[in-house]
Coordinates of all heavy atoms in Angstrom, one line a residue:
Chain B
K30 N -163.0 203.8 54.6 CA -162.4 205.0 54.2 C -161.5 204.9 53.0 O -161.3 205.8 52.2 CB -161.6 205.6 55.3 CG -162.5 206.2 56.4 CD -161.7 206.7 57.6 CE -162.6 207.1 58.7 NZ -161.9 207.5 59.9
D31 N -160.9 203.7 52.8 CA -159.9 203.5 51.8 C -160.5 203.1 50.5 O -159.8 203.1 49.5 CB -158.8 202.5 52.2 CG -159.4 201.2 52.7 OD1 -160.7 201.2 52.9 OD2 -158.7 200.3 52.9
L32 N -161.8 202.8 50.4 CA -162.5 202.5 49.2 C -163.1 203.8 48.6 O -163.8 204.5 49.3 CB -163.5 201.4 49.4 CG -163.0 200.0 49.6 CD1 -164.2 199.1 49.8 CD2 -162.2 199.6 48.4
S33 N -162.8 204.0 47.4 CA -163.4 205.2 46.8 C -164.0 204.9 45.4 O -163.4 205.1 44.4 CB -162.4 206.3 46.6 OG -161.4 205.9 45.9
P34 N -165.2 204.3 45.4 CA -165.8 204.0 44.1 C -166.2 205.2 43.4 O -166.5 206.3 44.0 CB -167.0 203.1 44.5 CG -167.3 203.5 45.9 CD -166.0 203.9 46.5
A35 N -166.3 205.1 42.1 CA -166.6 206.3 41.3 C -168.0 206.7 41.4 O -168.4 207.9 41.4 CB -166.2 206.0 39.8
N36 N -168.9 205.7 41.5 CA -170.3 206.0 41.5 C -170.7 206.3 43.0 O -170.9 205.4 43.8 CB -171.2 204.9 40.9 CG -170.8 203.6 41.4 OD1 -169.8 203.4 42.1 ND2 -171.6 202.6 41.2
E37 N -170.9 207.6 43.3 CA -171.3 207.9 44.6 C -172.7 207.7 45.0 O -173.1 207.7 46.1 CB -171.0 209.4 44.8 CG -169.5 209.8 44.7 CD -168.7 209.3 45.9 OE1 -169.3 209.3 47.0 OE2 -167.6 208.9 45.8
S38 N -173.5 207.3 44.0 CA -174.9 207.1 44.2 C -175.2 205.8 44.9 O -176.1 205.7 45.7 CB -175.7 207.2 43.0 OG -175.3 206.2 42.1
S39 N -174.3 204.8 44.7 CA -174.6 203.5 45.3 C -173.5 203.2 46.3 O -172.7 202.3 46.2 CB -174.5 202.4 44.2 OG -173.2 202.4 43.6
L40 N -173.5 204.0 47.3 CA -172.4 204.0 48.3 C -172.7 202.8 49.3 O -171.7 202.3 49.9 CB -172.4 205.3 49.1 CG -171.7 206.4 48.4 CD1 -171.8 207.6 49.4 CD2 -170.3 206.1 48.1
E41 N -173.9 202.4 49.5 CA -174.2 201.5 50.6 C -174.0 200.0 50.2 O -174.1 199.1 51.1 CB -175.6 201.7 51.1 CG -175.8 203.1 51.7 CD -174.9 203.4 52.8 OE1 -174.6 202.4 53.6 OE2 -174.4 204.5 52.9
T42 N -173.8 199.7 49.0 CA -173.7 198.3 48.5 C -172.3 198.1 47.9 O -171.8 198.9 47.2 CB -174.8 197.9 47.5 OG1 -174.7 198.8 46.4 CG2 -176.2 198.0 48.1
Y43 N -171.7 196.9 48.3 CA -170.4 196.6 47.7 C -170.5 195.2 47.3 O -171.1 194.3 47.9 CB -169.4 196.7 48.8 CG -169.1 198.2 49.2 CD1 -169.7 198.6 50.4 CD2 -168.4 199.0 48.5 CE1 -169.5 199.9 50.8 CE2 -168.2 200.3 48.8 CZ -168.8 200.8 50.0 OH -168.6 202.1 50.4
S44 N -169.7 194.9 46.3 CA -169.6 193.5 45.8 C -168.8 192.7 46.7 O -168.0 193.3 47.5 CB -169.0 193.5 44.4 OG -167.7 193.9 44.5
P45 N -168.8 191.4 46.7 CA -168.0 190.5 47.6 C -166.5 190.8 47.3 O -165.7 190.6 48.3 CB -168.4 189.1 47.2 CG -169.8 189.2 46.7 CD -169.8 190.6 46.0
E46 N -166.1 191.1 46.1 CA -164.7 191.3 45.9 C -164.2 192.6 46.7 O -163.2 192.6 47.3 CB -164.4 191.5 44.4 CG -164.5 190.3 43.6 CD -166.0 189.9 43.2 OE1 -166.8 190.8 43.4 OE2 -166.2 188.7 42.9
E47 N -165.1 193.6 46.6 CA -164.7 194.9 47.4 C -164.7 194.6 48.9 O -163.8 195.1 49.6 CB -165.7 196.0 47.1 CG -165.5 196.6 45.7 CD -166.6 197.6 45.4 OE1 -167.7 197.4 45.8 OE2 -166.3 198.6 44.8
V48 N -165.6 193.8 49.3 CA -165.6 193.4 50.7 C -164.4 192.7 51.1 O -163.8 192.9 52.2 CB -166.9 192.6 51.1 CG1 -166.9 192.1 52.5 CG2 -168.1 193.5 50.9
N49 N -164.0 191.7 50.3 CA -162.7 191.0 50.6 C -161.5 191.8 50.6 O -160.6 191.7 51.4 CB -162.6 189.8 49.6 CG -163.6 188.7 49.8 OD1 -164.0 188.5 50.9 ND2 -163.9 188.0 48.8
I50 N -161.5 192.8 49.6 CA -160.3 193.7 49.6 C -160.2 194.5 50.8 O -159.2 194.7 51.5 CB -160.4 194.6 48.3 CG1 -160.1 193.7 47.1 CG2 -159.4 195.7 48.4 CD1 -160.4 194.4 45.8
A51 N -161.4 195.1 51.3 CA -161.4 195.9 52.5 C -161.0 195.1 53.7 O -160.3 195.6 54.6 CB -162.8 196.5 52.6
S52 N -161.5 193.8 53.7 CA -161.2 193.0 54.9 C -159.7 192.6 55.0 O -159.1 192.7 56.0 CB -162.1 191.8 54.8 OG -162.0 191.0 55.9
S53 N -159.1 192.3 53.8 CA -157.7 191.9 53.9 C -156.9 193.2 54.1 O -155.8 193.1 54.7 CB -157.3 191.2 52.6 OG -157.6 192.1 51.5
D54 N -157.3 194.3 53.6 CA -156.6 195.6 54.0 C -156.6 195.8 55.5 O -155.6 196.3 56.0 CB -157.3 196.8 53.3 CG -156.8 196.9 51.9 OD1 -155.8 196.2 51.5 OD2 -157.4 197.7 51.1
E55 N -157.7 195.5 56.1 CA -157.8 195.7 57.6 C -156.7 194.8 58.3 O -156.0 195.2 59.2 CB -159.2 195.4 58.0 CG -159.4 195.7 59.5 CD -160.9 195.3 59.8 OE1 -161.6 194.9 59.0 OE2 -161.2 195.5 61.0
Y56 N -156.6 193.6 57.8 CA -155.7 192.6 58.4 C -154.2 193.1 58.1 O -153.4 193.0 59.0 CB -155.9 191.2 57.8 CG -155.0 190.2 58.3 CD1 -155.0 189.9 59.7 CD2 -154.2 189.4 57.5 CE1 -154.2 188.9 60.2 CE2 -153.4 188.4 58.0 CZ -153.4 188.2 59.4 OH -152.6 187.2 59.9
L57 N -154.0 193.6 56.9 CA -152.6 194.1 56.6 C -152.3 195.3 57.4 O -151.1 195.5 57.9 CB -152.5 194.5 55.1 CG -152.4 193.3 54.2 CD1 -152.4 193.8 52.7 CD2 -151.1 192.6 54.4
H58 N -153.3 196.2 57.7 CA -153.0 197.4 58.5 C -152.7 196.9 59.9 O -151.8 197.5 60.6 CB -154.2 198.3 58.5 CG -154.4 199.1 57.3 ND1 -153.3 199.8 56.8 CD2 -155.4 199.3 56.4 CE1 -153.7 200.5 55.7 NE2 -155.0 200.1 55.4
L59 N -153.4 195.9 60.4 CA -153.1 195.4 61.8 C -151.7 194.9 61.9 O -151.0 195.2 62.8 CB -154.1 194.4 62.2 CG -153.8 193.7 63.5 CD1 -154.0 194.7 64.7 CD2 -154.7 192.5 63.7
Q60 N -151.3 194.1 60.9 CA -149.9 193.6 60.9 C -148.9 194.7 60.9 O -147.9 194.7 61.6 CB -149.7 192.8 59.6 CG -150.4 191.4 59.6 CD -150.0 190.7 58.3 OE1 -148.9 190.6 57.9 NE2 -151.0 190.1 57.7
R61 N -149.1 195.7 60.0 CA -148.2 196.8 60.0 C -148.1 197.6 61.3 O -147.0 198.0 61.7 CB -148.6 197.8 58.8 CG -148.2 197.2 57.5 CD -148.5 198.2 56.4 NE -148.5 197.6 55.1 CZ -149.3 197.8 54.1 NH1 -150.2 198.7 54.3 NH2 -149.2 197.2 53.0
R62 N -149.3 197.8 61.9 CA -149.3 198.5 63.2 C -148.5 197.7 64.2 O -147.8 198.3 65.0 CB -150.7 198.8 63.6 CG -151.4 199.9 62.9 CD -152.6 200.4 63.7 NE -153.5 199.3 64.1 CZ -154.5 199.0 63.4 NH1 -154.8 199.6 62.2 NH2 -155.3 198.0 63.8
L63 N -148.7 196.4 64.2 CA -148.1 195.6 65.2 C -146.6 195.6 65.1 O -145.8 195.8 66.0 CB -148.6 194.1 65.1 CG -149.9 193.8 65.8 CD1 -150.3 192.4 65.5 CD2 -149.7 194.0 67.3
I64 N -146.1 195.5 63.8 CA -144.7 195.5 63.6 C -144.1 196.9 63.9 O -143.0 197.0 64.5 CB -144.4 195.1 62.1 CG1 -144.7 193.6 62.0 CG2 -143.0 195.3 61.7 CD1 -144.6 193.1 60.6
L65 N -144.8 197.9 63.5 CA -144.3 199.3 63.8 C -144.2 199.5 65.3 O -143.2 200.0 65.8 CB -145.2 200.3 63.2 CG -144.7 201.7 63.2 CD1 -143.5 201.9 62.4 CD2 -145.8 202.7 62.7
T66 N -145.2 199.1 66.1 CA -145.2 199.2 67.5 C -144.1 198.4 68.1 O -143.4 198.9 69.1 CB -146.5 198.8 68.1 OG1 -147.6 199.4 67.4 CG2 -146.7 199.3 69.5
T67 N -143.8 197.2 67.6 CA -142.8 196.4 68.1 C -141.4 197.1 67.9 O -140.5 197.1 68.8 CB -142.8 195.0 67.5 OG1 -144.1 194.5 67.6 CG2 -141.8 194.1 68.2
L68 N -141.2 197.6 66.7 CA -140.0 198.3 66.4 C -139.8 199.5 67.2 O -138.6 199.8 67.7 CB -139.9 198.6 64.9 CG -139.8 197.5 64.0 CD1 -139.8 197.9 62.5 CD2 -138.4 196.8 64.2
I69 N -140.8 200.3 67.5 CA -140.7 201.5 68.3 C -140.3 201.1 69.8 O -139.4 201.7 70.4 CB -142.0 202.3 68.3 CG1 -142.2 202.9 67.0 CG2 -142.0 203.3 69.4 CD1 -143.6 203.5 66.8

Side-chain angles (χ1 to χ4, degrees):
Chain B
K30 287 177 184 172
D31 50 351
L32 285 180
S33 58
N36 48 347
E37 294 290 324
S38 59
S39 61
L40 284 180
E41 297 303 321
T42 59
Y43 293 100
S44 67
E46 289 79 17
E47 286 175 322
V48 171
N49 285 337
I50 289 171
S52 186
S53 57
D54 275 352
E55 188 180 356
Y56 183 56
L57 282 177
H58 284 310
L59 175 67
Q60 286 182 47
R61 286 186 192 140
R62 281 200 309 266
L63 277 176
I64 289 175
L65 188 66
T66 314
T67 309
L68 287 177
I69 290 172

